[in-house]
Amino acid sequence: MSGSKSTEASIDHLGIAVRSIEQALGFYRDQLGLAVGPRETVVQEKVNVAMLPLEESRIELLEPTEEDSPVGKFLAKRGEGLHHVALKVPDLEAAVARLKNSGARLLNEPRAGAGGHLYVFVHPNSAGGVLLELIQG
Ligand code: CO
């Protein structure tokens, strides 16, 4: 540990791509016993979302509303599975500026997503092979 930077980031949620939220709830809700929180459609991502609250983070089930969408393409290519990891950061603007300055590849400018929170996605090529979502804490 270098200890040079204190980020105060935390895991906000894990995004899981599924073909059908209803079908996935058969496992996560009915078999595993998790509660189901808010459900919504995020139009600009063409995705239906169900949030399953955990102790200090959440599971986000993602079901595409169209095949021609980021999650639809992910399912076609990779099948169901872990789609992204979302970190909550105290200052998203500063994080974005730092990443841009250091040449990291961002997939969008900060914008409002599920729950109205500002978010950006960082390309897996810049993040150790993981699609990373950063959310304003
Ligand atoms: Co997410």
Side-chain angles (χ1 to χ4, degrees):
M1 301 284 283
S2 72
S4 62
K5 281 182 184 171
S6 170
T7 62
E8 295 171 7
S10 61
I11 292 180
D12 185 81
H13 64 265
L14 303 175
I16 298 176
V18 299
R19 295 199 170 81
S20 159
I21 284 177
E22 274 315 311
Q23 200 170 18
L25 288 178
F27 172 74
Y28 284 100
R29 179 190 56 202
D30 303 337
Q31 293 186 294
L32 194 57
L34 298 184
V36 181
R39 297 178 67 162
E40 65 180 289
T41 299
V42 182
V43 175
Q44 79 261 20
E45 299 285 354
K46 299 178 186 165
V47 76
N48 295 321
V49 175
M51 283 293 187
L52 283 53
L54 307 173
E55 189 75 17
E56 289 178 341
S57 60
R58 301 172 286 171
I59 286 175
E60 178 185 60
L61 298 177
L62 303 159
E63 170 196 83
T65 58
E66 294 179 29
E67 280 179 30
D68 185 18
S69 62
V71 175
K73 288 175 186 165
F74 178 91
L75 286 172
K77 196 173 164 190
R78 315 252 307 255
E80 294 186 314
L82 185 62
H83 180 260
H84 64 271
V85 172
L87 297 182
K88 187 158 39 178
V89 296
D91 187 344
L92 182 63
E93 206 177 320
V96 165
R98 199 164 56 238
L99 289 170
K100 281 182 174 174
N101 284 339
S102 58
R105 185 172 163 199
L106 302 181
L107 295 179
N108 60 280
E109 290 297 318
R111 62 190 181 201
H117 297 285
L118 286 177
Y119 72 96
V120 298
F121 277 105
V122 183
H123 193 280
N125 286 352
S126 296
V130 174
L131 177 59
L132 193 66
E133 180 180 8
L134 299 178
I135 295 181
Q136 175 63 55

